[in-house]
Amino acid sequence: MTAPKKVVLAYSGGLDTSIILKWLQTEYGCEVITFTADLGQGEELEPARKKAELLGIKPDNIHIVDVREEFVRDYVFPMFRANAVYEGLYLLGTSIARPLISKHLVDLAHRHGADAVAHGATGKGNDQVRFELSAYALDPSIKVIAPWREWDLSSRTKLLEFAEANQIPIAKDKRGEAPFSVDANLLHTSSEGKALENPAEEAPEYVYQRTVSPEEAPDTPEYIEITFENGDPVAINGEALSPATILTQLNEYGRKHGVGRLDFVENRFVGMKSRGIYETPGGTILLEAHRGIEQITLDAGAGHLKDSLMPRYAELIYNGFWFSPEREMLQAAIDKSQEHVTGTVRLKLYKGSVNTVGRWSDHSLYSEKHVTFEDDAGAYDQKDAAGFIKLNALRLKLIGNRNAKFR
Amino acid sequence: MTAPKKVVLAYSGGLDTSIILKWLQTEYGCEVITFTADLGQGEELEPARKKAELLGIKPDNIHIVDVREEFVRDYVFPMFRANAVYEGLYLLGTSIARPLISKHLVDLAHRHGADAVAHGATGKGNDQVRFELSAYALDPSIKVIAPWREWDLSSRTKLLEFAEANQIPIAKDKRGEAPFSVDANLLHTSSEGKALENPAEEAPEYVYQRTVSPEEAPDTPEYIEITFENGDPVAINGEALSPATILTQLNEYGRKHGVGRLDFVENRFVGMKSRGIYETPGGTILLEAHRGIEQITLDAGAGHLKDSLMPRYAELIYNGFWFSPEREMLQAAIDKSQEHVTGTVRLKLYKGSVNTVGRWSDHSLYSEKHVTFEDDAGAYDQKDAAGFIKLNALRLKLIGNRNAKFR
Amino acid sequence: MTAPKKVVLAYSGGLDTSIILKWLQTEYGCEVITFTADLGQGEELEPARKKAELLGIKPDNIHIVDVREEFVRDYVFPMFRANAVYEGLYLLGTSIARPLISKHLVDLAHRHGADAVAHGATGKGNDQVRFELSAYALDPSIKVIAPWREWDLSSRTKLLEFAEANQIPIAKDKRGEAPFSVDANLLHTSSEGKALENPAEEAPEYVYQRTVSPEEAPDTPEYIEITFENGDPVAINGEALSPATILTQLNEYGRKHGVGRLDFVENRFVGMKSRGIYETPGGTILLEAHRGIEQITLDAGAGHLKDSLMPRYAELIYNGFWFSPEREMLQAAIDKSQEHVTGTVRLKLYKGSVNTVGRWSDHSLYSEKHVTFEDDAGAYDQKDAAGFIKLNALRLKLIGNRNAKFR
Amino acid sequence: MTAPKKVVLAYSGGLDTSIILKWLQTEYGCEVITFTADLGQGEELEPARKKAELLGIKPDNIHIVDVREEFVRDYVFPMFRANAVYEGLYLLGTSIARPLISKHLVDLAHRHGADAVAHGATGKGNDQVRFELSAYALDPSIKVIAPWREWDLSSRTKLLEFAEANQIPIAKDKRGEAPFSVDANLLHTSSEGKALENPAEEAPEYVYQRTVSPEEAPDTPEYIEITFENGDPVAINGEALSPATILTQLNEYGRKHGVGRLDFVENRFVGMKSRGIYETPGGTILLEAHRGIEQITLDAGAGHLKDSLMPRYAELIYNGFWFSPEREMLQAAIDKSQEHVTGTVRLKLYKGSVNTVGRWSDHSLYSEKHVTFEDDAGAYDQKDAAGFIKLNALRLKLIGNRNAKFR
């Protein structure tokens, strides 16, 4: 790879990406453009501007962008239409943010005539894969620089020495090592590494940052209603809200009731297992609600097909293949299924749990007339069931007769 | 169908199956053999013997059998190896009991030289399908009699008149109609119909029979440890227990902590949606624990394949195809995956929730050496990730270049 | 079911559907509208008009419609985008025509204010299911009359007696029974029953009607080129043609070279196995060509996903679920994949075989630069493969180490 | 990677692997053990012994092993039970041989106390992946040396110079470059590269080495019968034969009749497309025959499940994951399905085609009694079909009614 001339860096303003910024300048002598996204991680972003300026970035090269609505509307909601969970339990909060960041990096590269993008993910994790596959899909000729895989700053000590040598300010609490590593956005907060590396030991309470402990949650349940249109939530308790506002409000409900904690050991795409603590308060409520509205608006054929496609869809997002033809194919199928997923779900929140307790819709396929234990006025002829069973049984009978010959 | 001569009836001892018993005698003039199974439904079964005798059944024709160990060992545990849930949420508590009952009915038919079996399921539900597909698979020449699809006792009044006319005792509380219909066994209790037929309305608390309400559960969490061997639980808190004993104890833990309630609208195999309230206290704990132990003992390839097969496997059980070649094929694949699913999971129970908080195993694939944020002493070369990403990206780049030509 | 007042009948003009026509008039005293479709079955249809008039149908109630373009454009081509084959070999020639016929029956019912539709399929086959599921999906309130399941004309003798008693003309060659039953349309001809019912015996040559025997085909191969746009064929040997014209020409190529014969035992949806002889001359060429163009224009991710969805898609069409949400979901995914399936395939036809021998496209993903054995000028760094393999191997190594402990 | 001390080399005796042998000795100063397998590639292997000796390998370190029976019995036949084809057409002839070779390499490494294995596959293809994933799965601590990825012998000229400098004999016809690259074993011969790199051009006839051209094949068809037990072929024309003998004979039938040629563009696991010419004469016959016997002995449920699993199974073998838990899970499911796949198939071979024309079995599920157009003596009640269709239609009707509200 020839050295990059101009690089767009995913820049948080923190110590690590500040070191990367300086290292890019030092190592390659290249111009750096910074991209700092407000994904709803809950941090002030203006300090990132000041730090970038301090490190010599021209004001025109500093981009701080609120992408919360885009994130929820174009990434989170489409994913939730699929009821996507990875390995049965993980709601993909980190995975789904990476393609959006790459998209902005590549767009800025095109705007600035940059030939490379850079990120701060390490060489052991999934995020490097997600960043880079997305970037290459969007611009096959882009260079991607992953300093953690390239430099020789292999210990905390060396990093701090580099920072000091380059006048990068080090916050006091960054001198020691963090007890674990954190990623946050509007959908979730994940914590992993170090103090959490023994999967046999319960994660300490101080790891959790987005939710109160169920034990500390209110002693009385709270009920909320979420309204969906075409598979996406559009209102809470009857109030129409924008995508990011909906997720923000659901996060607050979830936080308060201790909903959405997950202690999880997962299989990384790069081949190893890792343990993470995830908090997805609003997303956990949203998944339950979406399942609830699908229960009455989605038919068995569509629903079962969706269920069978979901693991593959979730795996694609987890592995970083958001911008791939197969994800888009699955999305087309999933979106097709959501045309009548419209209606309202009532949920009960209580000390760590969220449960659907009611759902209604003009688009409902539930027919009390058919299902009733009472007289159904001829809606359903029970005698039809005899023929239905007979023909479903026919092949089993033929097998039974055949197998009996060889016992 | 020619009239049956000798019929084995799935007999609960309740009013409905007593009416069926008498109706079989009256309608067909046939000899009736009764089969009453202790599936852990929590009712005294000896009264069923007395009632059968009262209705003229010969003592040798009355069979009351404790099938709890068989049920859990040969049906429930194999199903839980698959992490089977129907339509995302239902743990198949009713579905999994039906093939076992049919197997006993057919076995007794062979023992007594009977030419038919009979069950008390209605013509609108799934259970008729499950009973009959199982019976036909096990004996293609057996007749199956489903009185609810045949007789003209189409209202509660007519049923009671028939009972009175035939000296069938009617318990006082059976005069009026039950507010909903219940099925119970060691795995779960389901409630459906009548008072529950409006899926918009929250189910009243009195519907729940197997669990305390989360609000009434203890204010302090309880921790338990479940040990697995080859995918099946074998011990609780270090004490080795039989299959049925394990499930019984887990039910008690679940009951106490309000775990395993589900308010659900599902798609019946016969084409309609229905709403059920399910309580699966022990099963809910078991599912969480099994996922927990698989997290460290099952590899990604095996786990993702299992996840993709699960919806089909669950659908087969729900639809009544336990005794089918495709269920057996899937079982062979699933069982193959469980050879090292051995180890212990630590769980936290609290007010309706059960969560894995730790897991350990001699068979663990989790490698702290590989995943660590610390120096890994060469276990993993981060540079390998660059090549891994490059080759995974190659096809996306080729697509990107191609598509760019047509924009 | 209350008696129908006005019925739209799928009417071929042959003896059987003429008997049905008369039987509907006799049995129900209802007005009959006839629908006769030119699906490319290769028969004169005007005689059907005469026969219908003879049987007392009003001219306004007689509909003879050329649906060939609609059939190929809206049913055959979408299906071929999926490379759909049922049970590995059958190209679904009968299955795909049924929903189109039902659509026209229902449309005519609405136009004429009819309350029922009728078809001439027997109670043992798949076609009854396909006709009726389609009709019910398109109009849930429509009545469907299937005379073969209702009447008592259970033998050939009784049918002929009914015909004679009702002045229905009987062609001389219909007095005796046909040695097998035939269905034909522009996509295929199927033959089954009677003389073909022993699957051990080779089908006699006289069964084949659409293709010369490979032994009789020309001794020199013929080459043709088919051009595709977005997954559909649009030209043969450079000449742009309409959908039905393309299939007609491919049929002629296939007929001449003995391409597309299939001797097959399949599983019917109604539970039994049956043996059929299928001739799909043009369709067999089209399938090979479509695979050929996908080889260079479809990426691995999209292609493998398509391959995994195909069996389910084919099963849905075979079973009669064309108008179902799950078929439409799969179609959405498949159609999404075809956006760049554009280009030309060169095929060799010779004595029963059709083989792709060349393919080219502006949309090609094939990169000689990458694959070449020669110097690739840096397009691909072979060292990347080392990292790729290492990370793909990591989980296998962890498994190997684990399993070694328990041997 | 530390330098290897003792290496087991997959050695063909040809120029390239002789250069590798010498390079290993030169580069690492290590002891080399050679493994030369008779996989049925049709070459004399004793010359390989002489060449190895000439290059200084000790006689005890030279292993020439006939693995044909093992190859067919333990690899080819299990794969054919699945009807495995990659991307619709390729019978995986190269892919399936690689894990066997790796197994022998690793076994010999253990026997000789070697710490490494080496192969001659290039860095652009699939074979490197297959060799190495298999080796790592079987011995996670083994070193794998892939000289083509490591050395600087990047041109034909440099290779020949190295050979001359090291006294490696160069056959006259190896001075120039081969026009394409060949791999052969008992299952197939593949040709790719150079002269074949333009997928638009028909492959010249001289590329084909294992089959006569269909035009040159006999003018009269030939019929053969293959007998299967539990999914594997055991006899041809009634004569019981060993696995390798069966495949050898089928190869001769296929060769003679020009059966099994494939011109194919495939997606390599490493991300690029490549074009190959495959000849799989016996395997093509075997696939057709296996499908033929499954048609009557496998039920719809088992067959459709197999069909849906097959693409994933084939992809795993193609990608090199033979020794993976997920391949073993799928194999368990597939093998379970083959318990009654026993019987005989009659096939017609003619000028490039092989077609099933008859099949029979004591294990047949085909029931002429059920399927017959004649009177079936009550085996099947056509009225059952009405109920079957009604309940299958119920959900479609509910959808139809719902959707009509929103049009």
Side-chain angles (χ1 to χ4, degrees), chain D residues 310-327:
Chain D
M310 187 277 283
R312 179 88 184 101
Y313 177 87
E315 186 189 55
L316 286 169
I317 293 177
Y318 185 88
N319 287 356
F321 290 93
W322 179 264
F323 295 114
S324 72
E326 62 270 33
R327 203 277 308 172

Side-chain angles (χ1 to χ4, degrees), chain A residues 273 298 304 315 326 395, chain B residues 273 298 304 315 326 395:
Chain A
K273 289 181 179 291
L298 206 63
H304 292 195
E315 186 189 54
E326 63 270 34
R395 67 180 179 92
Chain B
K273 288 182 179 291
L298 206 63
H304 293 195
E315 186 189 55
E326 62 270 33
R395 67 180 179 93

Side-chain angles (χ1 to χ4, degrees), chain A residues 8-12 33-37 61-65 67 100-102 104-105 108:
Chain A
V8 185
L9 169 66
Y11 182 62
S12 72
I33 294 112
T34 62
F35 171 66
T36 308
N61 279 357
I62 299 174
H63 298 275
I64 297 182
V65 188
V67 297
L100 174 144
I101 294 171
S102 283
H104 281 267
L105 293 176
L108 284 172

Side-chain angles (χ1 to χ4, degrees), chain C residues 32-308:
Chain C
V32 176
I33 294 111
T34 62
F35 171 66
T36 308
D38 184 353
L39 279 153
Q41 61 269 53
E43 282 173 13
E44 271 302 309
L45 299 186
E46 280 309 310
R49 183 186 306 277
K50 296 233 169 58
K51 274 188 117 176
E53 285 174 356
L54 199 72
L55 289 159
I57 307 302
K58 292 186 293 187
D60 283 1
N61 279 356
I62 299 174
H63 298 275
I64 296 182
V65 188
D66 182 346
V67 297
R68 288 176 296 173
E69 291 292 348
E70 179 189 4
F71 175 50
V72 179
R73 183 189 64 232
D74 296 346
Y75 296 80
V76 174
F77 281 2
M79 181 174 79
F80 272 79
R81 284 174 215 147
N83 301 328
V85 284
Y86 181 67
E87 300 186 342
L89 293 165
Y90 169 42
L91 273 71
L92 296 160
T94 297
S95 324
I96 191 63
R98 301 321 190 188
L100 173 145
I101 294 171
S102 283
K103 182 171 191 308
H104 281 267
L105 294 177
V106 170
D107 286 350
L108 284 172
H110 292 171
R111 183 138 50 109
H112 284 272
D115 57 337
V117 299
H119 65 77
T122 76
K124 283 190 169 179
N126 295 303
D127 285 334
Q128 56 176 343
V129 190
R130 296 165 186 155
F131 279 130
E132 299 179 29
L133 293 184
S134 293
Y136 289 136
L138 294 169
D139 181 351
S141 66
I142 202 87
K143 289 189 187 76
V144 183
I145 304 171
W148 283 99
R149 293 203 308 259
E150 296 186 27
W151 65 27
D152 56 356
L153 304 176
S154 57
S155 69
R156 197 75 200 159
T157 312
K158 285 188 186 169
L159 276 176
L160 293 175
E161 284 169 5
F162 181 92
E164 278 169 1
N166 289 280
Q167 284 84 44
I168 300 171
I170 305 170
K172 268 196 190 136
D173 61 341
K174 297 289 177 179
R175 288 268 159 202
E177 292 211 48
F180 51 86
S181 161
V182 172
D183 176 66
N185 60 44
L186 201 53
L187 181 55
H188 94 336
T189 293
S190 72
S191 305
E192 58 176 18
K194 295 169 191 154
L196 299 169
E197 282 180 7
N198 182 352
E201 284 178 16
E202 186 169 4
E205 181 60 28
Y206 66 79
V207 172
Y208 295 94
Q209 309 175 27
R210 286 279 282 271
T211 51
V212 307
S213 118
E215 290 91 323
E216 302 302 316
D219 287 329
T220 46
E222 182 168 7
Y223 289 83
I224 61 171
E225 294 177 7
I226 304 179
T227 300
F228 289 84
E229 279 181 14
N230 308 124
D232 292 338
V234 295
I236 299 178
N237 293 333
E239 185 185 5
L241 299 166
S242 76
T245 313
I246 282 186
L247 188 50
T248 303
Q249 287 202 8
L250 293 181
N251 279 335
E252 177 49 26
Y253 284 113
R255 185 203 62 72
K256 176 179 165 191
H257 291 285
V259 169
R261 294 179 165 200
L262 174 65
D263 177 334
F264 192 49
V265 178
E266 76 206 50
N267 293 291
R268 287 192 186 156
F269 187 28
V270 293
M272 66 186 70
K273 288 181 180 292
S274 76
R275 195 259 197 108
I277 299 297
Y278 296 109
E279 294 168 90
T280 319
T284 301
I285 297 171
L286 185 51
L287 174 64
E288 172 69 17
H290 188 258
R291 280 179 171 154
I293 192 62
E294 284 195 342
Q295 285 170 18
I296 54 169
T297 58
L298 205 63
D299 126 277
H304 293 196
L305 178 57
K306 273 193 74 197
D307 286 349
S308 76

Side-chain angles (χ1 to χ4, degrees), chain B residues 72-73 76-83 226-235 246 286-287 289-294 297-298 306 331 334-345 361 363:
Chain B
V72 179
R73 184 189 62 231
V76 174
F77 281 1
M79 180 173 79
F80 273 79
R81 284 175 215 146
N83 300 329
I226 303 180
T227 300
F228 288 84
E229 279 180 15
N230 308 123
D232 293 337
V234 295
I246 282 186
L286 185 52
L287 174 63
H290 187 257
R291 280 178 171 155
I293 192 62
E294 284 195 340
T297 57
L298 206 63
K306 273 192 73 195
Q331 195 72 55
I334 290 159
D335 289 356
K336 180 77 190 163
S337 75
Q338 302 291 295
E339 289 174 357
H340 289 274
V341 178
T342 294
T344 300
V345 176
S361 168
H363 298 251

